Amino acid sequence: MLELGQDEIAKYPFLADAGQYLKDQGFSLEQFGSDPDLKHLIEKAYERIRVAADGKIYKSDLDGDHVSKEAALPREVFSFLLAIVLLKLSGMHTLIKRFALAEARRAEKYLEKDLANISDESKNQLAIRVIDDLFSVQVEKLDDFFVIPVSNYLKHSINFHEREWKLINRHVENGQVYLSPHETVRLIRKELGTYINSKIVNARTPTMIPGFEDSVNKLVSLSKKFVTYTVTTGEYPPCIKHAIEVLEKGENLPHSGRFMLATFLLSKGQSVQQIAPLFKNAPDYNERVTLYQLNHLAGTSGAGTQYSCPSCEKLKTQDLCFATSECDNIINPLQFGRKKK
Amino acid sequence: MQETDIQFLENSFKKYYFDHFDQIKVPERTSEREFGYQKFNSGMTRHLAIKDDKELHLMLIQNIPSDVYCSNAYYTFPNLPMNEKDWKEADLIFDIDAKDLNLPCRESHTVSICNECNEVSKNSSQCTKCNSTKLEKKSLPCNNCINASKTEVTKLSEVLIDDLAVSKENIHVYFSGNEGFHVYVYDSQFQEIGSRERSELTDYISFRGIIPESFGMKKIKPNRASFPDFEDKGWRGRFSKYIFGSKSKRSKIITELLANGYSSFQKTLDDASDNIGVKIDPNVTMDIHRIFRLPGSINSKSGLAKIQCNDLEKFDPYIEASFLSDETVEILANCPIEFKLKNKKFGPYNNEKITIPTFAAAYMICKKLARIA
């Protein structure tokens, strides 16, 4: 594990071993609930979560890269640790996710600054090591860029849906991808979020601590705001309509197209018996094979894996996408026509 | 296929596997791969583990398969069901097939065989005899098809070596035994990446999904300086050569591109995909559990062998991949297209009884354009 200085713990509090940190500082959780001098930190922790839930980044006490005053460091780290305790006590998963993401973005800002820091080589190296240790991305510095192996880049970038992250839109040379400090850090945002999220999920849930109740109750009612309802039109997306048309005309639909159509309809709750007749017009139709394959996709035969509908991105690669404006940036055909109320 | 045809092909294939076992390259780390085979007129047998050359030899001679396959993936337990195999890594594979190249010559050497009445007609969408639309297309690829496929292989190798730092020795090119080439990449940084990553890699290689910004065209305040140049590495350099033609035209063409605007530039990029992108089948590359035709084995779609091409430029599949015997056989041929094998011309045949060498007879029978008389 990395050796962290004070500034680093404040910037990346999730790297610290929470329980150990409190002990080292000579505190117990109960003290925060009872000691009037410490109690306001619970309020601060609640605030940290509330800001995150709103999709904003918590503004910290850090002054630039440094801890402004002696007292600021414990405050920074305590409010993070207490936020975790509050989240665990409330048991609200939507809030945990939002909090982890916001904290990841907060850390991202510092990592980016550290990476871009040309005057302090150690800052630079630390950021590279954090990335390497936590996310196994081998970052190397080359002139003004950070370069990482293409295979490493792909592992992270495939989670992005923006086209500028596609490999074809990057500077690729000699088996490596060239990135700015901002892009390097952005690349691991999700992993950073996942890492923080798993730290919270895996943390032990304490029993209710006197003095924490108010903030916990406030969190429970806060999380209600994020329950969403959706309505579905029931209309098929253009890729599916197109596939059905091709089959109706008796033309050949490639294997990948049949896979898409079948998995889509299965996900929409249709049965194998309902779907099978669609393929009757295919030039190579064979009832036995069709049923075998459909049952396989549905997970009722074979290894029992139920196959899911491919993403829009994959369908584009396979020439199966016929997007219209109604597709509205969805990332999977299954989302077509689903609107938040 | 009728029983006598199957028997004939089985005998010819058996002789090949007996005489030419040295052609069959047992892939490295044999025991970590999954093998499979197909027999004429029956389903696939897969999830087989094979220890070494000897075992493979035995399997071929005992079963006389129509097609033999081997995984590009390495597993801890290759003979267990798919989800228990424990996938470790997989070689990177590309499939370049003449049928995906949309060549203008294709129509002239494609026939349609009716699934209902077996009538063979020139490429059409309906059976000329019974009007059925259930047609099977068979193509007898010409030299133009092979050459165009070779060009794609060369383009692919260039991207792999220059952009992706794959070493030349780790790229092996095989003639597929039918209409194209299989390119294998061993020991690269891509061994362990999954299916989605491989799919993204195919988009890179086929120059797909580009946004104008990446090649210099911004929506707001586009800037001449960000357009690619001839000396640029990777796709920027290749795109420069394609779009500007020569250095002297660069400035003038950038002016034109700027004047035409953003969406027109997007169109230019999409068109460039069709011209300079490498035409590979994305589905093959992203499948990390597939079993691929075994190098050295015979392709039952043609009776030709899948063999490694050491000198791609000089390679002629119709000479070098045809291994079946010269013994003659009497067949009933209905093959409206002329073809050439081992430097001899055959056809066209219009429902004729002829006596020809085994290698040519097998070629037509595999294409369903002849049967044993």
Side-chain angles (χ1 to χ4, degrees):
Chain A
M1 199 59 202
L2 296 163
E3 285 290 328
L4 297 169
Q6 298 235 316
D7 291 347
E8 273 66 43
I9 295 191
K11 285 189 284 190
Y12 315 119
F14 50 88
L15 292 176
D17 179 348
Q20 195 55 43
Y21 184 82
L22 281 181
K23 261 190 218 135
D24 288 351
Q25 302 287 318
F27 292 106
S28 71
L29 281 178
E30 285 70 22
Q31 276 173 282
F32 288 96
S34 52
D35 188 326
D37 283 341
L38 295 174
K39 214 172 167 192
H40 73 280
L41 282 169
I42 300 181
E43 193 49 38
K44 207 170 158 57
Y46 169 79
E47 204 40 35
R48 200 164 173 155
I49 301 170
R50 195 193 56 75
V51 170
D54 273 351
K56 296 197 188 84
I57 300 172
Y58 166 73
K59 202 168 165 325
S60 67
D61 280 346
L62 292 180
D63 181 11
D65 264 6
H66 298 283
V67 183
S68 53
K69 324 188 252 305
E70 197 56 22
L73 170 68
R75 278 218 302 274
E76 277 301 305
V77 189
F78 287 156
S79 65
F80 176 82
L81 298 177
L82 291 173
I84 295 183
V85 174
L86 289 177
L87 285 167
K88 291 301 277 190
L89 287 171
S90 77
M92 291 297 140
H93 287 279
T94 47
L95 290 181
I96 292 180
K97 268 202 195 126
R98 281 165 186 265
F99 179 74
L101 182 66
E103 285 296 321
R105 294 181 62 185
R106 174 179 174 275
E108 200 181 320
K109 275 184 16 194
Y110 294 117
L111 271 176
E112 192 182 322
K113 246 191 197 161
D114 284 350
L115 272 185
N117 194 324
I118 13 175
S119 55
D120 187 346
E121 183 68 10
S122 70
K123 287 244 157 55
N124 215 292
Q125 285 308 314
L126 180 92
I128 288 180
R129 274 181 55 205
V130 169
I131 295 174
D132 198 67
D133 273 23
L134 296 185
F135 315 108
S136 321
V137 175
Q138 294 154 29
V139 183
E140 236 181 277
K141 218 176 161 199
L142 202 76
D143 302 327
D144 290 342
F145 295 99
F146 290 89
V147 298
I148 66 171
V150 172
S151 51
N152 245 324
Y153 174 82
L154 289 175
K155 269 183 216 159
H156 293 84
S157 67
I158 48 162
N159 297 315
F160 296 157
H161 303 291
E162 298 89 351
R163 285 172 76 187
E164 65 254 36
W165 286 95
K166 284 185 75 65
L167 187 64
I168 186 71
N169 292 313
R170 311 306 321 183
H171 174 178
V172 178
E173 198 177 316
N174 217 0
Q176 298 192 294
V177 183
Y178 286 60
L179 300 167
S180 68
H182 173 72
E183 291 164 337
T184 309
V185 175
R186 173 68 185 87
L187 190 65
I188 55 157
R189 175 187 292 170
K190 187 161 181 254
E191 279 72 15
L192 206 51
T194 311
Y195 179 82
I196 298 173
N197 193 58
S198 75
K199 271 218 144 175
I200 303 175
V201 171
N202 294 331
R204 204 174 46 86
T205 308
T207 42
M208 185 53 83
I209 304 154
F212 281 59
E213 299 93 340
D214 280 357
S215 298
V216 170
N217 289 337
K218 267 162 50 188
L219 281 185
V220 174
S221 52
L222 177 67
S223 75
K224 290 203 178 107
K225 215 171 87 184
F226 299 107
V227 182
T228 50
Y229 300 92
T230 52
V231 283
T232 317
T233 57
E235 175 99 346
Y236 286 157
C239 49
I240 300 296
K241 276 191 195 156
H242 176 264
I244 294 175
E245 274 165 31
V246 169
L247 283 175
E248 275 174 354
K249 274 189 256 166
E251 286 170 15
N252 188 47
L253 184 66
H255 176 75
S256 46
R258 298 179 195 200
F259 181 90
M260 166 193 76
L261 181 60
T263 48
F264 177 88
L265 295 174
L266 285 166
S267 297
K268 288 282 179 194
Q270 294 203 21
S271 70
V272 169
Q273 280 65 33
Q274 282 172 302
I275 299 169
L278 272 176
F279 297 95
K280 272 213 166 113
N281 281 335
D284 53 356
Y285 178 74
N286 174 326
E287 191 182 350
R288 195 179 54 85
V289 174
T290 304
L291 286 176
Y292 169 83
Q293 290 178 335
L294 285 174
N295 278 316
H296 216 87
L297 295 180
T300 46
S301 72
T305 323
Q306 197 186 331
Y307 288 81
S308 45
C309 186
S311 67
C312 296
E313 192 60 40
K314 190 160 180 174
L315 296 175
K316 260 182 218 145
T317 305
Q318 296 172 322
D319 272 334
L320 293 167
C321 170
F322 298 88
T324 61
S325 57
E326 276 178 272
C327 288
D328 199 18
N329 289 327
I330 55 172
I331 59 173
N332 189 293
L334 286 168
Q335 295 165 323
F336 186 85
R338 224 188 267 169
K339 289 267 171 348
K340 273 194 186 150
K341 213 171 170 180
Chain B
M1 214 178 263
Q2 62 180 22
E3 200 48 49
T4 46
D5 294 334
I6 292 175
Q7 208 130 64
F8 165 73
L9 290 178
E10 275 185 346
N11 287 336
S12 319
F13 284 22
K14 185 178 187 172
K15 190 165 168 9
Y16 170 81
Y17 285 125
F18 209 83
D19 295 344
H20 294 281
F21 188 68
D22 54 326
Q23 284 292 332
I24 294 165
K25 192 175 177 284
V26 182
E28 276 179 37
R29 296 167 66 181
T30 316
S31 61
E32 291 170 87
R33 298 180 188 264
E34 179 199 348
F35 287 79
Y37 64 83
Q38 235 168 332
K39 295 183 65 145
F40 290 98
N41 279 0
S42 84
M44 174 86 90
T45 307
R46 57 181 293 185
H47 311 299
L48 303 173
I50 277 175
K51 215 167 58 231
D52 52 21
D53 276 25
K54 260 195 190 149
E55 241 183 73
L56 180 66
H57 199 170
L58 197 66
M59 180 192 84
L60 295 174
I61 296 298
Q62 274 176 343
N63 297 292
I64 324 168
S66 65
D67 301 274
V68 192
Y69 306 95
C70 168
S71 69
N72 60 326
Y74 304 83
Y75 304 100
T76 316
F77 309 109
N79 56 341
L80 292 186
M82 218 66 232
N83 52 346
E84 294 165 32
K85 280 186 175 10
D86 186 23
W87 188 89
K88 292 197 253 190
E89 57 184 288
D91 304 324
L92 193 57
I93 296 200
F94 300 96
D95 179 26
I96 288 167
D97 207 308
K99 80 171 185 300
D100 302 328
L101 302 183
N102 301 321
L103 298 169
C105 61
R106 192 165 178 83
E107 199 169 331
S108 68
H109 52 69
T110 299
V111 291
S112 309
I113 304 166
C114 178
N115 270 350
E116 310 271 348
C117 70
N118 286 328
E119 174 75 2
V120 175
S121 49
K122 278 280 172 86
N123 196 15
S124 57
S125 58
Q126 254 186 349
C127 175
T128 47
K129 199 166 160 192
C130 72
N131 287 337
S132 163
T133 52
K134 299 199 171 179
L135 300 175
E136 198 175 338
K137 306 270 180 188
K138 291 283 174 190
S139 177
L140 311 188
C142 63
N143 275 331
N144 184 42
C145 294
I146 300 298
N147 288 335
S149 309
K150 282 183 186 176
T151 308
E152 297 304 314
V153 173
T154 311
K155 277 158 68 184
L156 171 63
S157 306
E158 217 178 274
V159 177
L160 288 172
I161 294 169
D162 295 347
D163 298 16
L164 302 172
V166 173
S167 71
K168 207 171 174 223
E169 306 79 70
N170 285 333
I171 303 175
H172 292 194
V173 179
Y174 298 89
F175 170 63
S176 75
N178 193 27
E179 301 204 37
F181 294 89
H182 295 163
V183 178
Y184 286 54
V185 174
Y186 300 102
D187 285 327
S188 70
Q189 57 164 308
F190 307 107
Q191 286 290 118
E192 283 170 36
I193 60 171
S195 170
R196 289 169 64 211
E197 289 88 346
R198 286 172 199 241
S199 159
E200 188 57 39
L201 202 57
T202 62
D203 277 349
Y204 180 81
I205 291 165
S206 24
F207 199 67
R208 293 176 66 125
I210 312 130
I211 50 171
E213 284 84 349
S214 313
F215 286 80
M217 189 72 173
K218 295 198 188 73
K219 255 185 190 147
I220 306 153
K221 280 198 197 161
N223 164 11
R224 299 182 73 89
S226 49
F227 277 83
D229 210 338
F230 277 69
E231 280 75 35
D232 285 350
K233 298 267 176 144
W235 279 116
R236 280 178 70 87
R238 284 189 283 270
F239 179 69
S240 294
K241 286 171 199 128
Y242 164 76
I243 196 78
F244 304 133
S246 71
K247 277 186 188 174
S248 55
K249 287 193 199 145
R250 183 173 180 268
S251 179
K252 191 175 148 249
I253 290 176
I254 292 180
T255 310
E256 270 171 39
L257 290 170
L258 288 170
N260 293 338
Y262 186 86
S263 45
S264 154
F265 192 77
Q266 178 74 65
K267 179 91 184 20
T268 307
L269 286 170
D270 295 342
D271 292 342
S273 296
D274 294 337
N275 288 298
I276 55 173
V278 187
K279 288 172 198 68
I280 49 178
D281 181 343
N283 297 307
V284 171
T285 305
M286 66 199 189
D287 193 342
I288 56 167
H289 296 290
R290 191 183 282 232
I291 47 179
F292 291 86
R293 192 171 295 290
L294 180 74
S297 70
I298 297 193
N299 190 327
S300 76
K301 288 179 199 154
S302 65
L304 302 175
K306 169 169 173 177
I307 56 161
Q308 191 168 354
C309 313
N310 297 316
D311 186 343
L312 185 68
E313 213 174 307
K314 289 199 192 119
F315 178 79
D316 182 345
Y318 300 117
I319 295 173
E320 292 173 56
S322 180
F323 285 97
L324 301 184
S325 82
D326 296 333
E327 268 173 61
T328 55
V329 53
E330 197 180 31
I331 57 165
L332 187 65
N334 189 6
C335 175
I337 294 160
E338 187 184 291
F339 64 95
K340 208 172 152 186
L341 274 181
K342 287 198 189 170
N343 275 329
K344 282 194 199 89
K345 272 189 186 154
F346 297 96
Y349 305 114
N350 179 26
N351 260 324
E352 304 166 42
K353 206 179 233 184
I354 46 166
T355 302
I356 60 167
T358 295
F359 64 85
Y363 187 68
M364 281 189 283
I365 293 174
C366 286
K367 298 272 181 192
K368 298 191 181 173
L369 300 173
R371 54 193 167 91
I372 295 290

